[in-house]
Amino acid sequence: MVKRRKLGLFELYAKDADAADRQVFGRVSHPDRRGFLKGAGLTAMATALGGFIPFHRYMPAGLIPAAIADGTVDFTIDGKDGLVVLNDRPVNAETPAHLLDADITPIRRHFVRNNGVPPKDVNVAQWTLSITGEVDNPMSFTIEELKSQFEVVELALQIECGGNGRAGFNPPAKGNQWTTGAIGNSKWTGVRLKDVLEKVGVKSTAVYTGHLGADTHLSGDPEKAPLSRGVTIEKALDPHNLIAFQQNGEDIHPMNGAPLRLVMPGWPGSCSQKWLTEIVLADKKWNGTKMAPPSYSVPSFPVQPGAEVDDSDFETFHSMPVKSLITSPRSGETLAAGQSSLRLRGHAWAGDDTVTRVELSNDFGNSWTEATLAPLMNPYSWATWEGEVTFPIHGYYEIWARATDDKGRVQPFSVGWNPKGYLNNAMHRIAVMVPQA
Ligand SMILES: Nc1nc2c(c(=O)[nH]1)N[C@H]1C(S)=C(S)[C@@H](COP(=O)(O)O)O[C@H]1N2
Ligand SMILES: [Mo]
């Protein structure tokens, strides 16, 4: 059973009470923490508590109001809406399935997966991207130069974290407990990575890329990169990889990599370097942070749940597996009295491959009805599907969705365990109550 974790208030306040005040109530009352909550922060607190607080002027900052002290809080990220925060340092937040209903994921609904601390005070005009390593002419480009020297394209592209679905593994795997929401399909505007690589000249010795970004390590150590992944040169030269400077026609959200990021759809999201500053072409597999097993790797043979696996028995995975999501209705709906059928909608995707079919079941997988797939906006976009199920009698139902890819692979009921909790493409299910007529 997947569980959704919000940040506990005490956990939040214990880490950094000032930051907690800011997150929960929008402002810090006083830097030395002896002050009192005022203005917008007070208004936010009163709203959260459901009314005016007569003695607010005596209420110490950093005090967790008793009314919500045993609760959890939706830690808010400016410009994001409805995301469930799994961690606040580094910031990691996923999107509930019903908020991913749009064909194009709005910026405010695109999940956030950070391994470190995003850069502050980004200077867009001075931002440069260097291409180095096994190239004929190492070069640097400002964002303006990228825009003027290469064709600018816009594509709807899925980015899915390799650990999406991790919460479904038992025994649990360490790391962010993503349920289903580490997936997004925004429209990205940028230039093709392929065009830029061809301009600098790819040497025949180049077999791998390495990606570097401007975020910093949680430890503060400037020598350490929080994440630096790469892909095979064949994948890098796919014309659907973008060096992107816009998301849905607007500036990229700061947490999604502004002002410049890679979007490498199909492979784990970690390949899509945010705050991109440099791409190195290497003559062997890139050795940046989180390239080596067990990161983004699974055992090369099935293992018993909970088993210890030697690093040498891991393989780095590439394309993400076929998967689907039910985005409408949201789980837990009760139908109107007398309603005996339900229309459903969602999306499906299959890494580097193509979704050919989506099916729905309301009898725990005993029988299936086929949904209709809308045409793809472009390769590597997710596909939107629509379908209908009918209910023979009142009661509790689960609706399961499963997608099939063009290689005939079908989503499983559950996936084999792996130590780091990657690649969980088990079927998505929602609960529906059908009342007595
Ligand atoms: N520089 C940098 N790029 C990064 C990351 C990071 O921590 N630092 N996280 C990666 C991971 S693991 C994922 S899944 C995607 C998530 O992209 P998003 O946060 O825009 O949804 O960004 C990738 N790019
Ligand atoms: Mo990720």
Side-chain angles (χ1 to χ4, degrees):
M1 186 62 202
V2 290
K3 62 176 186 291
R4 173 159 300 161
R5 176 172 176 269
K6 296 190 182 190
L7 214 57
L9 270 177
F10 281 101
E11 192 180 351
L12 191 68
Y13 273 87
K15 280 187 179 175
D16 180 345
D18 280 347
D21 266 354
R22 212 177 309 124
Q23 287 152 21
V24 180
F25 302 115
R27 60 159 282 156
V28 186
S29 50
H30 198 278
D32 67 7
R33 311 220 24 80
R34 282 181 284 111
F36 302 89
L37 208 62
K38 292 191 281 268
L42 177 63
T43 310
M45 182 186 280
T47 309
L49 299 180
F52 173 65
I53 311 166
F55 293 118
H56 68 82
R57 63 190 179 283
Y58 305 129
M59 190 171 189
L63 179 84
I64 304 172
I68 57 173
D70 56 355
T72 57
V73 60
D74 284 315
F75 164 101
T76 54
I77 302 166
D78 282 348
K80 295 287 177 184
D81 172 35
L83 269 55
V84 175
V85 175
L86 306 176
N87 193 357
D88 66 330
R89 191 181 151 78
V91 174
N92 284 280
E94 70 169 333
T95 316
H98 69 280
L99 298 182
L100 285 172
D101 191 45
D103 294 354
I104 297 299
T105 307
I107 294 176
R108 66 183 195 287
R109 299 272 161 80
H110 199 285
F111 77 102
V112 176
R113 196 291 184 248
N114 293 346
N115 288 267
V117 182
K120 292 190 185 70
D121 306 320
V122 164
N123 185 326
V124 184
Q126 278 169 23
W127 195 273
T128 54
L129 169 65
S130 310
I131 316 287
T132 61
E134 304 296 312
V135 296
D136 297 329
N137 303 298
M139 283 173 106
S140 245
F141 303 91
T142 63
I143 296 175
E144 277 314 310
E145 286 167 344
L146 289 173
K147 288 182 187 170
S148 60
Q149 294 179 26
F150 302 97
E151 188 187 348
V152 172
V153 289
E154 187 185 56
L155 295 171
L157 300 171
Q158 20 112 357
I159 298 178
E160 183 181 21
C161 183
N164 196 19
R166 177 175 293 131
F169 286 104
N170 198 8
K174 275 202 208 106
N176 288 299
Q177 296 300 301
W178 305 109
T179 64
T180 58
I183 170 80
N185 192 67
S186 288
K187 271 192 184 163
W188 297 93
T189 309
V191 297
R192 293 182 193 93
L193 172 63
K194 178 178 196 283
D195 295 348
V196 175
L197 292 181
E198 282 170 358
K199 165 116 181 194
V200 299
V202 177
K203 283 192 177 164
S204 59
T205 46
V207 300
Y208 236 88
T209 60
H211 315 147
L212 297 158
D215 47 341
T216 50
H217 197 266
L218 285 180
S219 65
D221 183 345
E223 301 298 307
K224 284 187 183 163
L227 179 87
S228 175
R229 303 251 309 142
V231 300
T232 60
I233 197 72
E234 293 75 26
K235 173 67 178 177
L237 292 172
D238 184 301
H240 302 94
N241 300 318
L242 297 185
I243 300 171
F245 35 77
Q246 284 199 316
Q247 182 177 9
N248 297 343
E250 293 174 40
D251 290 343
I252 297 174
H253 188 282
M255 290 285 165
N256 298 121
L260 198 67
R261 78 171 297 168
L262 274 174
V263 183
M264 284 201 162
W267 285 31
S270 54
C271 300
S272 294
Q273 194 83 21
K274 302 192 280 187
W275 312 291
L276 182 69
T277 54
E278 184 174 349
I279 297 170
V280 187
L281 295 196
D283 60 5
K284 53 180 182 299
K285 186 181 174 186
W286 182 242
N287 64 359
T289 310
K290 303 208 176 176
M291 275 308 288
S295 290
Y296 301 101
S297 309
V298 289
S300 43
F301 48 86
V303 300
Q304 231 180 340
E308 291 269 343
V309 179
D310 200 77
D311 279 358
S312 61
D313 288 329
F314 278 93
E315 272 171 15
T316 302
F317 57 83
H318 293 150
S319 176
M320 294 294 289
V322 62
K323 199 160 170 178
S324 59
L325 208 51
I326 302 167
T327 58
S328 175
R330 71 185 289 178
S331 187
E333 290 284 92
T334 299
L335 301 194
Q339 186 182 345
S340 61
S341 70
L342 178 66
R343 290 204 64 79
L344 296 107
R345 192 172 52 235
H347 313 289
W349 59 97
D352 283 345
D353 302 300
T354 309
V355 175
T356 52
R357 187 161 41 158
V358 173
E359 296 157 291
L360 301 169
S361 174
N362 66 355
D363 56 10
F364 303 100
N366 186 55
S367 67
W368 296 89
T369 54
E370 197 158 342
T372 311
L373 274 174
L376 281 192
M377 267 170 277
N378 52 255
Y380 290 101
S381 165
W382 66 18
T384 295
W385 58 260
E386 270 187 28
E388 189 171 48
V389 294
T390 52
F391 306 98
I393 187 172
H394 65 89
Y396 171 83
Y397 289 87
E398 287 196 7
I399 301 177
W400 295 3
R402 69 174 188 195
T404 303
D405 72 14
D406 55 352
K407 299 205 168 85
R409 291 172 296 203
V410 190
Q411 282 185 260
F413 294 99
S414 77
V415 293
W417 185 90
N418 69 82
K420 299 280 282 180
Y422 291 123
L423 304 179
N424 185 355
N425 70 332
M427 298 170 201
H428 185 212
R429 10 185 231 129
I430 64 163
V432 174
M433 282 301 296
V434 179
Q436 219 153 354

